[in-house]
Structures are given as structure tokens and as C-alpha cells.
Amino acid sequence: MTQTQHGSTDAAADHVEQRRALTDWAIIVIALLAVLTAFALARQFLVPVMMAFLLSLVFSPLCRWLRRRRIPEAVSAAVIVAALVAGLIAAITSLAVPVAGWIDDAPQYMWEIEQKLQSWSGVAEAVSDADKEIKEATEAASGDGEAMEVVVQESGPMSTIALEAPVVAAQTVLVLILLYFVLASGNLFYERLVRVMPTFSDKRRALSIVYDVEREVSRYLLSITLINVGLGAAVVIAFTLLGMPNPFLFGLLAFGLNYVPFIGALAGTALVFSVALVSQETAWAAAVSALTYWGLTAVEGQVVTPMIVGRRLRLNTVVIVISIAFWAWLWSFMGMLMAVPLLVTFRVFCKHVPQLSKIEEFLSGPDPMEGDEKEQAK
């Protein structure tokens, strides 16, 4: 065979290999789109299921610890679920009355906020001018000098909450029921996982992944929960001293929003500023309350969390923000709450699969020790 024939054969082989690679990537993209579509369509089912399994990762080590002390999993699972129900009822009871009052008085609050901001900008003047222009336009359109009556019918916040409440309640019940059965089953899931794996190495890798995911996610969620409790307590104390209304409510708000990194702190600061504009005497006093909230969350995010969580949870900050935005787009607020635990789970999975080691490295954040070594090298 001549050299020309060898070259044409190699070129044909390269062309076939390129087409095969393109086909593989096309299949992967189609599969990802199909999965995303399924996740979006099955949102009302998948959200409580995912939440139940994430909670089971947190409480499974506790159930095993109690089992070693001769307490059956069914009993420990019932106690854990009962404690969650009691905490949920207490939170709803604490939030229901003030939140309902805020919603009912929302128009009055908006007017007061407008008046407080008048010293900072021309918002109130612009709104007043726009209102006059609308009135003049309607009088001119009526032709006889009488203003036309414009009626806008739309659903208010309370009606929206009333419509969504049954769905949220059903999802919450599903989470609690599924959590109980997962915890009460003990190691049944792990045993079935080992049994379906074909080889011993696959069994060992599967167990390693499952236990590593459980350990990392449970440590992260437990650590963040303790940190959020401390942040909520600090907010309660600070707002009590600043004279903010319902300081316990804001502490509870800080506790919940802080499960969403970065975005939760910004949303909480904006909400505190809006409420403080109504409850405080001046806009500057409202700014002090908002800055206090932001300062506490900044100390938590930049000092406390790195010290407690440590190097075990090294995640790329950009990836965290993208993950939160993606899951918020897909599953709304519940997706934002589960974004970081799901990212931790995926990172642990990539760490145990050699083919995905580069993705695990990309998801990981900078190692403080590497920075110290570079400084010493300089």
C-alpha cells in the first residue's frame, strides 16, 4: 500500500472519529435537555422528594448513633419528624400574624416609604406628576370633563397565598412522610445499592460515594444550621437595641434566608430597609438598621462560616452563584435552598469518578494552604 493510500485511510478514520465525537456530544446535549424538561415538568413531585432525601442525609447519622444505643430506627425517625413538625408549627405561628398585617397594610406602607425617600430623591414628585398626567388624560378622553372610572381587577397577595397554600401543605406532608420512611428503613437503601452493583469494586465505590455524600452534606447542613441560629440570635439582639418591630421575626427571617449564600443576605437587607423605612423615624435610621443586618451577615459569611466549615467545603464562588440562579429558575425558592447541598453532592460524586476529576477540580474553590505556600515561595 502506498503512502498516499495510508494518508487517505488515516484521514477517513479521523473523519469518522470526529463524526462519532459530534454524535456523542449531540446525544449528551439532548439527554441534558430532556432531563431539564423532566425536572421542570415534575417540579411539584421532585422538590419534596429531593428535600426529603437531603434531610435524610442530615439525620441518618443520628439515627445510626441511636441504633447503637438500642433505640430502633422507627422510634428515632418518629421523634425527629415530630421535632420538625413542632418547629414548623412554631415558625408558622410566629410568622402568620405579622406577615398578614404587613400584607394588609402594604398600600399604607408604600405611601410611607415614598414619603421617607422624598428627602433622598424626587421619587414622590415624579409619582405625583405621573398621577396628574393620568387624571388629565382620562378627563380628556371622557370628553365631558368627567373622569372615566378605571377598574383594574387582579389577584392580591392574600389570594395568591390562599391558592398556593394547599400545594405547599401537600408537599410538606409528603416531605415528612417520605423522610420518616427513609430514616426508619435504616441501611436498607445501602444494602439494596450494594446488591445491584455487578462487581466488588463497583460495590465498594458506590458505598464510598454514598457515605461520603452523607458525611459532607450532613456536616455542611448541620454547621450552617448552627451558624444561622447564631446569626438569628445576633439579629434579634441588634434589632431590639435599634427599636425595630418584631425583632424575633427578623431573626427567624435571617435564619431562613442565610441558607441561600450571597443572595439571601442581599434579599434580607432589602427587606429590612423597606420595613425600617416605615417603622423608623427617618430614612437614615432605616439605613442604619439595614447596614447592621448586612454587617452581621458579612461577618458570618467572611469570618464565621470559613472558620467553622473550614477547608472541607471548598467550592468555586462563581459556580455557587450560577448554581443558585439555575435552581431558582428551575424550582423557585426551594431550588435556591437546595442549590448548595446539591452542588456538594455532585462534587463528591465527581471526586470518586476518575473520568470526572477535572469537573471536581473546577467546582472546588481555592485552597488557603496553596496560597500560603505560594507566598512562602515568593
Side-chain angles (χ1 to χ4, degrees):
M1 186 178 292
T2 64
Q3 186 175 359
T4 305
Q5 291 175 330
H6 277 295
S8 61
T9 303
D10 293 340
D14 292 340
H15 181 68
V16 171
E17 189 65 27
Q18 290 177 358
R19 291 188 61 183
R20 183 178 301 172
L22 289 175
T23 303
D24 292 341
W25 276 108
I27 293 174
I28 292 173
V29 171
I30 293 173
L32 287 175
L33 291 176
V35 170
L36 289 178
T37 303
F39 275 20
L41 294 177
R43 168 187 169 184
Q44 293 186 352
F45 170 75
L46 289 177
V47 167
V49 170
M50 294 293 291
M51 181 61 72
F53 275 102
L54 286 176
L55 290 174
S56 69
L57 292 176
V58 176
F59 295 111
S60 291
L62 177 59
C63 288
R64 283 199 295 271
W65 182 82
L66 292 173
R67 184 183 60 188
R68 290 195 293 268
R69 282 147 183 81
R70 302 182 182 279
I71 299 178
E73 288 92 343
V75 176
S76 58
V79 172
I80 290 172
V81 172
L84 289 176
V85 171
L88 190 61
I89 292 175
I92 292 175
T93 304
S94 302
L95 289 172
V97 176
V99 170
W102 288 352
I103 293 176
D104 291 338
D105 297 335
Q108 177 66 23
Y109 288 161
M110 292 300 296
W111 182 84
E112 293 182 14
I113 290 174
E114 176 186 320
Q115 298 301 313
K116 292 286 181 66
L117 289 175
Q118 189 175 6
S119 60
W120 284 5
S121 65
V123 175
E125 184 178 354
V127 172
S128 177
D129 293 341
D131 182 65
K132 290 179 181 179
E133 291 179 2
I134 293 174
K135 289 181 178 179
E136 291 173 359
T138 53
E139 289 176 358
S142 63
D144 55 359
E146 296 180 359
M148 292 188 300
E149 183 179 0
V150 180
V151 179
V152 179
Q153 294 182 350
E154 59 179 11
S155 58
M158 292 303 295
S159 61
T160 303
I161 293 174
L163 291 174
E164 293 292 333
V167 177
V168 175
Q171 291 180 333
T172 303
V173 172
L174 177 59
V175 169
L176 295 172
I177 293 175
L178 184 57
L179 175 63
Y180 170 78
F181 282 107
V182 172
L183 294 177
S185 63
N187 292 328
L188 179 63
F189 174 77
Y190 300 155
E191 294 173 357
R192 294 293 183 269
L193 180 63
V194 170
R195 187 171 298 179
V196 299
M197 290 293 126
T199 64
F200 177 75
S201 61
D202 292 335
K203 298 177 188 293
R204 186 172 59 182
R205 178 183 294 182
L207 277 180
S208 178
I209 292 174
V210 170
Y211 281 119
D212 203 2
V213 167
E214 180 184 279
R215 180 171 59 253
E216 293 291 336
V217 174
S218 62
R219 286 180 178 178
Y220 167 75
L221 288 178
L222 287 174
S223 300
I224 292 300
T225 300
L226 294 176
I227 292 171
N228 291 353
V229 169
L231 176 64
V235 169
V236 170
I237 295 172
F239 281 11
T240 301
L241 297 176
L242 291 174
M244 283 286 289
N246 300 314
F248 178 76
L249 177 62
F250 285 103
L252 196 61
L253 177 73
F255 171 82
L257 289 178
N258 206 53
Y259 280 102
V260 183
F262 313 123
I263 298 176
L266 293 176
T269 302
L271 183 59
V272 167
F273 182 64
S274 301
V275 176
L277 279 174
V278 178
S279 59
Q280 303 283 35
E281 294 182 358
T282 64
W284 294 107
V288 170
S289 299
L291 288 174
T292 301
Y293 183 92
W294 178 83
L296 292 174
T297 57
V299 171
E300 173 273 326
Q302 301 299 322
V303 179
V304 179
T305 296
M307 288 176 56
I308 296 179
V309 176
R311 295 172 54 198
R312 296 191 62 88
L313 187 68
R314 292 187 300 108
L315 289 174
N316 191 325
T317 304
V318 177
V319 175
I320 292 176
V321 175
I322 293 175
S323 176
I324 293 173
F326 170 77
W327 289 107
W329 167 72
L330 195 65
W331 287 348
S332 188
F333 180 72
M334 295 303 296
M336 296 174 66
L337 289 179
M338 294 186 286
V340 176
L342 291 175
L343 186 60
V344 173
T345 302
F346 182 63
R347 175 176 171 247
V348 172
F349 179 79
C350 292
K351 184 173 66 174
H352 288 274
V353 180
Q355 294 83 353
L356 302 177
S357 59
K358 294 298 183 181
I359 298 179
E360 191 271 336
E361 184 178 352
F362 175 75
L363 295 178
S364 301
D367 191 343
M369 296 299 295
E370 293 180 0
D372 296 339
E373 291 175 357
K374 291 180 181 179
E375 290 295 331
Q376 292 175 3
K378 292 180 181 179

